[in-house]
Amino acid sequence: MRAFVVAAALTVTLAAAPTFAQAPAPAPAAPPAAAQAAPAEQPFPAGAKYAFVNIQRIAAESAQGKALSQRVQGLNAQKVNELNEKNKALQASQQKLDSGASVLSDAARAQLAKDIDRQQPELQRFTDDAQKDVEEMQNELQAEFQQKLGPVIQQIAQEKKLEILFSALDAGIIWADAGLDLTSEVIRRFDTAAPVAAGPAAPPAAAPRTAAPAPVAPRPAAPAAPRPAPAAPAPAPKK
């Protein structure tokens, strides 16, 4: 049974997200140069068990890839135009403030400066949001591209009786026969050839120590018995 391994390998750049800059509208781009002719398709070698594909060429030259790329470019152009309009409004306010400093009233100058301070963070937020929107669309269309391309690659690989199919860009596996995955067999043989040595037995757990009894408080010594008073000496006999 053959498996379709495509999750990491099928990546494609449809249209790079632009770096939005707070600058005037760019000058019209020069007309693109004539596209190079696609290389002639060569006959598939007889008996080959593996092959490769160039995903970047597929994205750039296929009708599906071109259509998805145009959608990203359309959103990109829309965001750039909106950014340029906002940038023009900000520049006009700044020029008005600079040129009319001696004509405008203090209140008008203060209000204009306040508007400029408000427009600048708004322009930055719009720039950040525009980049995020373009990147999100690009990611969505990349997933759509992979979903459409995957079954076609699998069908061609099976028709060619391939065992493995690589990516020409990074040599990653795009499609492979599931029988080529030797991971489980390597694990079994590795465990058999190098069994895990039994480690030293763990020392028995020491019995929990009981608390030593509290020392008995010494008893007070019994009072000594009173000694009898010495007897009075006997009187000397009379002469």
Side-chain angles (χ1 to χ4, degrees), residues 96-214:
K96 183 177 180 181
L97 179 62
D98 295 340
S99 61
S102 59
V103 179
L104 298 174
S105 64
D106 293 342
R109 286 197 304 271
Q111 182 61 42
L112 192 55
K114 184 177 180 180
D115 292 341
I116 293 175
D117 292 340
R118 175 184 53 81
Q119 289 176 333
Q120 287 177 341
E122 288 181 353
L123 189 60
Q124 182 61 48
R125 282 195 298 270
F126 178 85
T127 300
D128 296 339
D129 292 342
Q131 288 179 321
K132 183 178 179 181
D133 291 344
V134 173
E135 290 173 358
E136 287 179 352
M137 172 178 277
Q138 183 174 347
N139 292 334
E140 292 175 0
L141 296 186
Q142 285 178 351
E144 181 179 343
F145 178 80
Q146 295 175 20
Q147 185 178 6
K148 292 180 178 180
L149 180 61
V152 177
I153 287 180
Q154 182 177 9
Q155 180 182 6
I156 294 176
Q158 291 175 338
E159 291 176 356
K160 303 291 186 182
K161 302 186 185 311
L162 299 178
E163 294 177 348
I164 195 167
L165 182 63
F166 295 99
S167 167
L169 301 179
D170 56 8
I173 296 176
I174 293 180
W175 182 92
D177 189 324
L180 296 177
D181 186 356
L182 303 179
T183 306
S184 297
E185 182 176 353
V186 170
I187 293 173
R188 288 195 305 270
R189 294 198 185 186
F190 186 46
D191 290 344
T192 302
V196 179
R209 296 182 178 180
T210 57

Side-chain angles (χ1 to χ4, degrees), residues 2-23:
R2 298 180 183 269
F4 187 46
V5 186
V6 70
L10 273 181
T11 56
V12 58
T13 302
L14 297 176
T19 302
F20 293 93
Q22 298 180 11

